[in-house]
Amino acid sequence: MFYMLKLKRRIQLQPKELGRGIADKIRRALIREVEGTCDQNGYIIALLEITHTGAGKIDELSGAVSFQVEYQALIFRPEKGEVCDGVCLSVSQHAIIVQVGPAQVLVPPQMIPEEMKFDNSQTPMFANEDRSLKITRGTELRIQIFGTKFMGTSINALGSIQGDYLGPIG
């Protein structure tokens, strides 16, 4: 779920940003460009450290200088089969949407225990017959991930609450 990865990125500074404190300016530019983004590695939560900054290369037309930066970052990447805790964002007869960190996990009705039925009488929910177990917006859930897809600045996943110790928490 959480990984520390070594990554590389080219950072560009404009001529007005050059001078004293260039290492700090490179760090701030890197944080601005990578934190909160998502790529094939997962969702970048935080820049941990810059391990190497290459020599700058000057763009002759603009005067900007680009630096190849190697850094360590904290990455969030849910894996298939992993069990996670999250909060229910919405309930409909077609699915339950659960927020797990920066990922949104869709739990389709086929992945919800058969004893839980959709009920739209008061607020949309899945509940068992005696309503001792119910899932509504705001319910904390333990889910199992079955697949993930990284899209721009978000992670979408498919999950299940069928199985031992899965479903509503508490």
Side-chain angles (χ1 to χ4, degrees), residues 129-158:
E129 201 170 309
D130 66 357
R131 292 186 182 242
S132 61
L133 280 179
K134 53 186 171 180
I135 300 171
T136 62
R137 184 173 188 200
T139 302
E140 292 182 14
L141 295 169
R142 183 160 293 139
I143 61 172
Q144 186 173 25
I145 304 293
F146 279 100
T148 57
K149 185 173 185 177
F150 302 101
M151 299 172 49
T153 58
S154 67
I155 301 172
N156 294 328
L158 184 63

Side-chain angles (χ1 to χ4, degrees), residues 16 19 21 29 33 35 44 46 48 54-55 60-61 66-67 69 81 85 96-97 109 135 142 149-150 155-156 162 169:
K16 66 182 178 184
E33 285 188 24
E35 282 187 0
I44 299 176
L48 300 176
E60 294 176 13
L61 296 174
S66 63
F67 299 89
V69 180
D85 292 350
I96 297 171
I97 307 293
I135 300 171
R142 183 160 293 139
K149 185 173 185 177
F150 302 101
I155 301 172
N156 294 328
Q162 286 182 336
I169 302 171

